[in-house]
């Protein structure tokens, strides 16, 4: 995948409260992401199924966004290259033929980004 971040032009005014005003030109930064994912779903009973999923990926090649700061000069910042893993599980219960209740947990862990976990649920109704 390729991701883009668009930064609009921005300029600060120098003052006694802001000794280092910054100016940015409008730019677009991009980064590439390579990820391999797999998921396995099984029907446990007529009314219960579950899915396990996992992925490993790496971001790389981010281009910088630059700014000009008074008294310092030009500076550039870019997203760091990092490796990450994603994992998840979902359990679904068929309440009726037309109604399904799901519960899930999803997580991402990586160097430089730490761990982020989400818990949730959904109610699906067929019409």
């Amino acid at each position: 995948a390729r991701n883009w971040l668009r930064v609009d032009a921005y300029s600060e005014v120098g003052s006694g409260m802001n000794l280092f005003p910054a100016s940015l030109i409008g730019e677009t930064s991009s980064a590439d992401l390579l990820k391999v994912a797999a998921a396995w779903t099984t029907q446990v009973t007529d009314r219960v199924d579950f899915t396990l999923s996992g992925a490993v990926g790496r971001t790389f090649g981010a281009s910088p966004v630059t700014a000009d700061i008074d008294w310092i000069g030009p500076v550039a910042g870019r997203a760091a290259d990092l490796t990450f893993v994603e994992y998840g599980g979902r359990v679904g219960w068929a309440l009726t033929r037309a109604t399904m209740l799901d519960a899930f947990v999803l997580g991402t862990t990586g160097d430089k980004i730490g761990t982020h976990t989400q818990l949730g649920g959904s109610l699906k109704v067929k019409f």
Side-chain angles (χ1 to χ4, degrees), residues 6 10 13 46 81 100-101 103 107 112 122:
R6 172 82 179 131
Y10 172 80
V13 177
D46 290 347
D81 297 343
M100 175 73 95
L101 183 64
K112 303 175 189 154
S122 67

Side-chain angles (χ1 to χ4, degrees), residues 47 93-102 122-126:
R47 301 185 89 167
W93 295 276
L95 302 175
T96 68
R97 294 184 128 207
T99 307
M100 175 73 95
L101 183 64
D102 288 335
S122 67
L123 176 64
K124 300 175 193 170
V125 180
K126 295 179 186 176

